[in-house]
mmCIF file of all heavy atoms in Angstrom:
data_model
loop_
_atom_site.group_PDB
_atom_site.id
_atom_site.type_symbol
_atom_site.label_atom_id
_atom_site.label_comp_id
_atom_site.label_asym_id
_atom_site.label_seq_id
_atom_site.Cartn_x
_atom_site.Cartn_y
_atom_site.Cartn_z
ATOM 1 N N TRP Q 11 -185.269 113.323 84.571
ATOM 2 C CA TRP Q 11 -184.324 112.501 85.293
ATOM 3 C C TRP Q 11 -184.150 113.065 86.686
ATOM 4 O O TRP Q 11 -184.242 114.301 86.813
ATOM 5 C CB TRP Q 11 -182.908 112.359 84.578
ATOM 6 C CG TRP Q 11 -181.983 111.412 85.166
ATOM 7 C CD1 TRP Q 11 -181.890 110.047 84.812
ATOM 8 C CD2 TRP Q 11 -181.020 111.575 86.144
ATOM 9 N NE1 TRP Q 11 -180.887 109.425 85.552
ATOM 10 C CE2 TRP Q 11 -180.360 110.319 86.403
ATOM 11 C CE3 TRP Q 11 -180.635 112.709 86.942
ATOM 12 C CZ2 TRP Q 11 -179.341 110.280 87.422
ATOM 13 C CZ3 TRP Q 11 -179.639 112.498 87.947
ATOM 14 C CH2 TRP Q 11 -178.984 111.314 88.098
ATOM 15 N N THR Q 12 -183.900 112.319 87.710
ATOM 16 C CA THR Q 12 -183.770 112.781 89.064
ATOM 17 C C THR Q 12 -182.894 111.881 89.935
ATOM 18 O O THR Q 12 -182.915 110.608 89.629
ATOM 19 C CB THR Q 12 -185.144 112.920 89.756
ATOM 20 O OG1 THR Q 12 -185.044 113.644 91.020
ATOM 21 C CG2 THR Q 12 -185.857 111.567 89.970
ATOM 22 N N LYS Q 13 -182.188 112.414 90.849
ATOM 23 C CA LYS Q 13 -181.560 111.539 91.807
ATOM 24 C C LYS Q 13 -182.202 111.637 93.161
ATOM 25 O O LYS Q 13 -182.520 110.641 93.754
ATOM 26 C CB LYS Q 13 -180.075 111.842 91.874
ATOM 27 C CG LYS Q 13 -179.323 111.041 92.980
ATOM 28 C CD LYS Q 13 -177.794 111.136 92.873
ATOM 29 C CE LYS Q 13 -177.125 110.584 94.060
ATOM 30 N NZ LYS Q 13 -176.816 111.625 95.082
ATOM 31 N N ASN Q 14 -182.460 112.855 93.606
ATOM 32 C CA ASN Q 14 -183.021 113.035 94.952
ATOM 33 C C ASN Q 14 -184.394 113.484 95.063
ATOM 34 O O ASN Q 14 -184.989 113.733 96.082
ATOM 35 C CB ASN Q 14 -182.176 114.144 95.664
ATOM 36 C CG ASN Q 14 -180.729 113.685 95.981
ATOM 37 O OD1 ASN Q 14 -180.495 112.513 96.237
ATOM 38 N ND2 ASN Q 14 -179.723 114.564 95.839
ATOM 39 N N GLY Q 15 -185.126 113.608 93.878
ATOM 40 C CA GLY Q 15 -186.534 113.818 93.888
ATOM 41 C C GLY Q 15 -187.066 115.171 93.536
ATOM 42 O O GLY Q 15 -188.183 115.413 93.252
ATOM 43 N N ASN Q 16 -186.097 116.236 93.566
ATOM 44 C CA ASN Q 16 -186.486 117.605 93.284
ATOM 45 C C ASN Q 16 -187.048 117.714 91.862
ATOM 46 O O ASN Q 16 -188.125 118.299 91.697
ATOM 47 C CB ASN Q 16 -185.357 118.561 93.440
ATOM 48 C CG ASN Q 16 -184.812 118.695 94.802
ATOM 49 O OD1 ASN Q 16 -185.554 118.303 95.761
ATOM 50 N ND2 ASN Q 16 -183.609 119.173 94.979
ATOM 51 N N THR Q 17 -186.397 117.178 90.844
ATOM 52 C CA THR Q 17 -186.820 117.283 89.520
ATOM 53 C C THR Q 17 -188.094 116.524 89.230
ATOM 54 O O THR Q 17 -188.911 116.928 88.531
ATOM 55 C CB THR Q 17 -185.671 116.908 88.553
ATOM 56 O OG1 THR Q 17 -184.430 117.481 88.980
ATOM 57 C CG2 THR Q 17 -185.923 117.307 87.133
ATOM 58 N N GLU Q 18 -188.186 115.396 90.041
ATOM 59 C CA GLU Q 18 -189.408 114.650 89.931
ATOM 60 C C GLU Q 18 -190.660 115.465 90.334
ATOM 61 O O GLU Q 18 -191.703 115.459 89.697
ATOM 62 C CB GLU Q 18 -189.343 113.325 90.628
ATOM 63 C CG GLU Q 18 -190.650 112.481 90.553
ATOM 64 C CD GLU Q 18 -190.512 111.064 90.981
ATOM 65 O OE1 GLU Q 18 -189.388 110.744 91.443
ATOM 66 O OE2 GLU Q 18 -191.470 110.374 90.790
ATOM 67 N N PRO Q 59 -181.752 117.665 86.888
ATOM 68 C CA PRO Q 59 -180.986 118.519 87.735
ATOM 69 C C PRO Q 59 -179.721 119.043 86.965
ATOM 70 O O PRO Q 59 -179.259 118.349 86.123
ATOM 71 C CB PRO Q 59 -180.518 117.698 88.907
ATOM 72 C CG PRO Q 59 -180.733 116.274 88.425
ATOM 73 C CD PRO Q 59 -181.739 116.216 87.367
ATOM 74 N N VAL Q 60 -179.309 120.292 87.351
ATOM 75 C CA VAL Q 60 -178.039 120.701 86.824
ATOM 76 C C VAL Q 60 -176.941 120.018 87.619
ATOM 77 O O VAL Q 60 -176.781 119.981 88.816
ATOM 78 C CB VAL Q 60 -177.882 122.282 87.058
ATOM 79 C CG1 VAL Q 60 -176.533 122.745 86.729
ATOM 80 C CG2 VAL Q 60 -178.934 122.975 86.239
ATOM 81 N N TYR Q 61 -175.932 119.424 86.901
ATOM 82 C CA TYR Q 61 -174.818 118.800 87.450
ATOM 83 C C TYR Q 61 -173.546 119.461 86.810
ATOM 84 O O TYR Q 61 -173.369 119.343 85.608
ATOM 85 C CB TYR Q 61 -174.707 117.275 87.083
ATOM 86 C CG TYR Q 61 -175.453 116.278 88.070
ATOM 87 C CD1 TYR Q 61 -176.440 116.806 88.969
ATOM 88 C CD2 TYR Q 61 -175.133 114.979 88.144
ATOM 89 C CE1 TYR Q 61 -177.068 115.927 89.856
ATOM 90 C CE2 TYR Q 61 -175.797 114.091 89.021
ATOM 91 C CZ TYR Q 61 -176.764 114.577 89.854
ATOM 92 O OH TYR Q 61 -177.410 113.714 90.700
ATOM 93 N N ASN Q 62 -172.756 120.118 87.659
ATOM 94 C CA ASN Q 62 -171.530 120.787 87.090
ATOM 95 C C ASN Q 62 -171.838 121.621 85.850
ATOM 96 O O ASN Q 62 -171.202 121.410 84.727
ATOM 97 C CB ASN Q 62 -170.468 119.694 86.818
ATOM 98 C CG ASN Q 62 -170.272 118.933 88.115
ATOM 99 O OD1 ASN Q 62 -170.186 119.537 89.204
ATOM 100 N ND2 ASN Q 62 -170.153 117.580 87.998
ATOM 101 N N ASN Q 63 -172.898 122.416 85.934
ATOM 102 C CA ASN Q 63 -173.318 123.300 84.896
ATOM 103 C C ASN Q 63 -174.018 122.685 83.765
ATOM 104 O O ASN Q 63 -174.534 123.385 82.818
ATOM 105 C CB ASN Q 63 -172.199 124.128 84.240
ATOM 106 C CG ASN Q 63 -171.518 124.973 85.380
ATOM 107 O OD1 ASN Q 63 -172.149 125.519 86.255
ATOM 108 N ND2 ASN Q 63 -170.124 124.902 85.422
ATOM 109 N N THR Q 101 -183.910 121.618 87.784
ATOM 110 C CA THR Q 101 -183.726 122.107 89.152
ATOM 111 C C THR Q 101 -182.301 122.331 89.403
ATOM 112 O O THR Q 101 -181.411 121.550 88.838
ATOM 113 C CB THR Q 101 -184.405 121.181 90.223
ATOM 114 O OG1 THR Q 101 -183.642 119.921 90.287
ATOM 115 C CG2 THR Q 101 -185.905 120.936 89.967
ATOM 116 N N PHE Q 102 -182.014 123.230 90.257
ATOM 117 C CA PHE Q 102 -180.564 123.573 90.464
ATOM 118 C C PHE Q 102 -180.383 124.291 91.788
ATOM 119 O O PHE Q 102 -181.305 124.957 92.319
ATOM 120 C CB PHE Q 102 -180.016 124.494 89.328
ATOM 121 C CG PHE Q 102 -180.538 125.828 89.352
ATOM 122 C CD1 PHE Q 102 -179.707 126.948 89.691
ATOM 123 C CD2 PHE Q 102 -181.962 126.067 89.177
ATOM 124 C CE1 PHE Q 102 -180.233 128.267 89.696
ATOM 125 C CE2 PHE Q 102 -182.399 127.411 89.262
ATOM 126 C CZ PHE Q 102 -181.607 128.490 89.541
ATOM 127 N N GLY Q 103 -179.173 124.095 92.393
ATOM 128 C CA GLY Q 103 -179.038 124.770 93.739
ATOM 129 C C GLY Q 103 -178.777 126.261 93.514
ATOM 130 O O GLY Q 103 -179.276 127.046 94.443
ATOM 131 N N GLY Q 104 -177.917 126.624 92.679
ATOM 132 C CA GLY Q 104 -177.686 128.019 92.436
ATOM 133 C C GLY Q 104 -176.876 128.774 93.592
ATOM 134 O O GLY Q 104 -176.846 130.013 93.665
ATOM 135 N N GLY Q 105 -176.373 127.988 94.542
ATOM 136 C CA GLY Q 105 -175.701 128.542 95.712
ATOM 137 C C GLY Q 105 -174.437 129.403 95.424
ATOM 138 O O GLY Q 105 -173.974 130.197 96.230
ATOM 139 N N GLU Q 111 -176.218 129.475 87.082
ATOM 140 C CA GLU Q 111 -175.893 128.143 87.158
ATOM 141 C C GLU Q 111 -176.853 127.189 86.432
ATOM 142 O O GLU Q 111 -176.643 126.106 86.098
ATOM 143 C CB GLU Q 111 -175.838 127.587 88.579
ATOM 144 C CG GLU Q 111 -174.693 128.234 89.355
ATOM 145 C CD GLU Q 111 -174.381 127.608 90.671
ATOM 146 O OE1 GLU Q 111 -174.157 126.398 90.732
ATOM 147 O OE2 GLU Q 111 -174.456 128.321 91.686
ATOM 148 N N ALA Q 112 -178.118 127.762 86.121
ATOM 149 C CA ALA Q 112 -179.164 126.958 85.357
ATOM 150 C C ALA Q 112 -178.962 127.193 83.823
ATOM 151 O O ALA Q 112 -179.414 126.282 83.088
ATOM 152 C CB ALA Q 112 -180.533 127.333 85.804
ATOM 153 N N VAL Q 137 -185.401 126.206 91.864
ATOM 154 C CA VAL Q 137 -184.393 126.009 92.843
ATOM 155 C C VAL Q 137 -184.629 124.743 93.530
ATOM 156 O O VAL Q 137 -185.732 124.400 93.919
ATOM 157 C CB VAL Q 137 -184.279 127.326 93.784
ATOM 158 C CG1 VAL Q 137 -183.306 127.022 94.930
ATOM 159 C CG2 VAL Q 137 -183.899 128.444 92.957
ATOM 160 N N GLY Q 138 -183.467 123.950 93.816
ATOM 161 C CA GLY Q 138 -183.627 122.751 94.524
ATOM 162 C C GLY Q 138 -182.498 122.438 95.483
ATOM 163 O O GLY Q 138 -181.316 122.741 95.232
ATOM 164 N N PHE Q 139 -182.864 121.954 96.668
ATOM 165 C CA PHE Q 139 -181.885 121.558 97.760
ATOM 166 C C PHE Q 139 -180.823 120.695 97.130
ATOM 167 O O PHE Q 139 -181.091 119.811 96.372
ATOM 168 C CB PHE Q 139 -182.744 120.919 98.855
ATOM 169 C CG PHE Q 139 -181.926 120.311 100.015
ATOM 170 C CD1 PHE Q 139 -180.866 121.089 100.585
ATOM 171 C CD2 PHE Q 139 -182.214 119.119 100.524
ATOM 172 C CE1 PHE Q 139 -180.195 120.586 101.641
ATOM 173 C CE2 PHE Q 139 -181.528 118.539 101.609
ATOM 174 C CZ PHE Q 139 -180.505 119.364 102.091
ATOM 175 N N PHE Q 140 -179.581 120.880 97.628
ATOM 176 C CA PHE Q 140 -178.396 120.197 97.175
ATOM 177 C C PHE Q 140 -177.845 119.443 98.364
ATOM 178 O O PHE Q 140 -176.909 119.925 99.059
ATOM 179 C CB PHE Q 140 -177.462 121.251 96.513
ATOM 180 C CG PHE Q 140 -176.225 120.659 95.878
ATOM 181 C CD1 PHE Q 140 -175.346 121.434 95.291
ATOM 182 C CD2 PHE Q 140 -175.945 119.260 95.906
ATOM 183 C CE1 PHE Q 140 -174.183 120.991 94.635
ATOM 184 C CE2 PHE Q 140 -174.806 118.736 95.298
ATOM 185 C CZ PHE Q 140 -173.931 119.633 94.622
ATOM 186 N N PRO Q 141 -178.395 118.271 98.773
ATOM 187 C CA PRO Q 141 -178.024 117.602 100.028
ATOM 188 C C PRO Q 141 -176.552 117.218 100.004
ATOM 189 O O PRO Q 141 -175.939 117.163 101.041
ATOM 190 C CB PRO Q 141 -178.925 116.413 100.080
ATOM 191 C CG PRO Q 141 -179.494 116.214 98.769
ATOM 192 C CD PRO Q 141 -179.456 117.543 98.037
ATOM 193 N N GLU Q 142 -175.915 117.009 98.873
ATOM 194 C CA GLU Q 142 -174.549 116.481 98.853
ATOM 195 C C GLU Q 142 -173.527 117.674 99.078
ATOM 196 O O GLU Q 142 -172.318 117.409 99.336
ATOM 197 C CB GLU Q 142 -174.153 115.976 97.489
ATOM 198 C CG GLU Q 142 -174.855 114.674 97.133
ATOM 199 C CD GLU Q 142 -176.268 114.798 96.461
ATOM 200 O OE1 GLU Q 142 -176.745 115.995 96.451
ATOM 201 O OE2 GLU Q 142 -176.792 113.906 95.860
ATOM 202 N N TYR Q 147 -173.737 126.034 101.487
ATOM 203 C CA TYR Q 147 -174.288 126.236 100.149
ATOM 204 C C TYR Q 147 -175.761 126.294 100.199
ATOM 205 O O TYR Q 147 -176.398 127.067 99.431
ATOM 206 C CB TYR Q 147 -173.845 124.983 99.318
ATOM 207 C CG TYR Q 147 -174.222 124.985 97.785
ATOM 208 C CD1 TYR Q 147 -173.462 125.515 96.853
ATOM 209 C CD2 TYR Q 147 -175.560 124.653 97.450
ATOM 210 C CE1 TYR Q 147 -173.785 125.606 95.536
ATOM 211 C CE2 TYR Q 147 -176.024 124.760 96.189
ATOM 212 C CZ TYR Q 147 -175.090 125.171 95.138
ATOM 213 O OH TYR Q 147 -175.510 125.237 93.840
HETATM 214 C C1 LIG T 1 -173.076 115.906 91.303
HETATM 215 C C2 LIG T 1 -173.855 117.170 91.501
HETATM 216 C C3 LIG T 1 -173.512 118.384 90.839
HETATM 217 C C4 LIG T 1 -174.216 119.511 90.964
HETATM 218 N N1 LIG T 1 -173.858 120.564 90.274
HETATM 219 C C5 LIG T 1 -174.580 121.762 90.405
HETATM 220 C C6 LIG T 1 -174.226 122.868 89.713
HETATM 221 O O1 LIG T 1 -173.194 122.908 88.966
HETATM 222 N N2 LIG T 1 -175.007 124.022 89.807
HETATM 223 C C7 LIG T 1 -176.133 123.997 90.596
HETATM 224 O O2 LIG T 1 -176.768 125.059 90.683
HETATM 225 N N3 LIG T 1 -176.520 122.918 91.278
HETATM 226 C C8 LIG T 1 -175.788 121.801 91.234
HETATM 227 N N4 LIG T 1 -176.168 120.629 91.894
HETATM 228 C C9 LIG T 1 -177.431 120.674 92.615
HETATM 229 C C10 LIG T 1 -178.676 119.964 91.981
HETATM 230 O O3 LIG T 1 -178.766 120.508 90.688
HETATM 231 C C11 LIG T 1 -179.869 120.129 92.855
HETATM 232 O O4 LIG T 1 -179.683 119.652 94.098
HETATM 233 C C12 LIG T 1 -181.076 119.510 92.126
HETATM 234 O O5 LIG T 1 -182.246 120.023 92.613
HETATM 235 C C13 LIG T 1 -181.027 117.932 92.408
HETATM 236 O O6 LIG T 1 -182.148 117.417 91.720
HETATM 237 P P1 LIG T 1 -182.782 116.042 91.980
HETATM 238 O O7 LIG T 1 -183.253 116.033 93.421
HETATM 239 O O8 LIG T 1 -183.873 115.885 91.036
HETATM 240 O O9 LIG T 1 -181.724 114.927 91.831
HETATM 241 C C14 LIG T 1 -175.371 119.471 91.722
HETATM 242 C C15 LIG T 1 -175.779 118.290 92.408
HETATM 243 C C16 LIG T 1 -175.042 117.123 92.290
HETATM 244 C C17 LIG T 1 -175.447 115.873 93.053
#
Side-chain angles (χ1 to χ4, degrees):
W11 189 89
T12 188
K13 176 165 169 269
N14 294 323
N16 293 340
T17 313
E18 179 165 5
V60 171
Y61 272 20
N62 305 317
N63 302 317
T101 65
F102 72 112
E111 294 193 55
V137 174
F139 176 43
F140 185 176
E142 294 88 345
Y147 183 95

